[in-house]
């Protein structure tokens, strides 16, 4: 996370990390979104939500 000091200054490493993230955002976004979707599907399965849908369809 980027978090400035009380005086509003950022460490050089924080600034560089933010710049790198923004420069690579287009490439990173699909992987991040896929990871979130995979996690969501896993949790739905663990909690049994997909079982009801399966019963209704069949």
């Amino acid at each position: 996370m980027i978090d400035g000091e009380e005086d509003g200054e950022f460490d050089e490493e924080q600034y560089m990390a933010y710049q790198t993230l923004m420069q690579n955002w287009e490439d990173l976004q699909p992987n991040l979104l896929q990871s979130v979707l995979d996690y969501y599907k896993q949790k739905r399965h663990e909690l049994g939500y997909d079982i009801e849908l399966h019963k209704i369809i069949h």
Side-chain angles (χ1 to χ4, degrees):
M1 239 13 218
I2 302 263
D3 186 22
E5 301 296 326
E6 289 181 18
D7 61 3
E9 296 293 319
F10 294 94
D11 290 336
E12 182 66 25
E13 292 83 12
Q14 288 179 310
Y15 181 76
M16 290 172 55
Y18 176 77
Q19 290 299 323
T20 300
L21 175 66
M22 291 296 100
Q23 289 172 357
N24 295 308
W25 182 246
E26 293 295 321
D27 296 328
L28 294 171
Q29 189 177 11
N31 291 332
L32 292 170
L33 292 175
Q34 186 62 52
S35 295
V36 170
L37 180 59
D38 292 344
Y39 178 79
Y40 171 77
K41 288 178 179 179
Q42 176 187 351
K43 285 300 174 187
R44 279 189 59 86
H45 179 73
E46 289 174 5
L47 296 172
Y49 289 115
D50 58 347
I51 294 170
E52 283 297 317
L53 180 60
H54 184 72
K55 286 180 184 176
I56 293 170
I57 292 174
H58 291 92

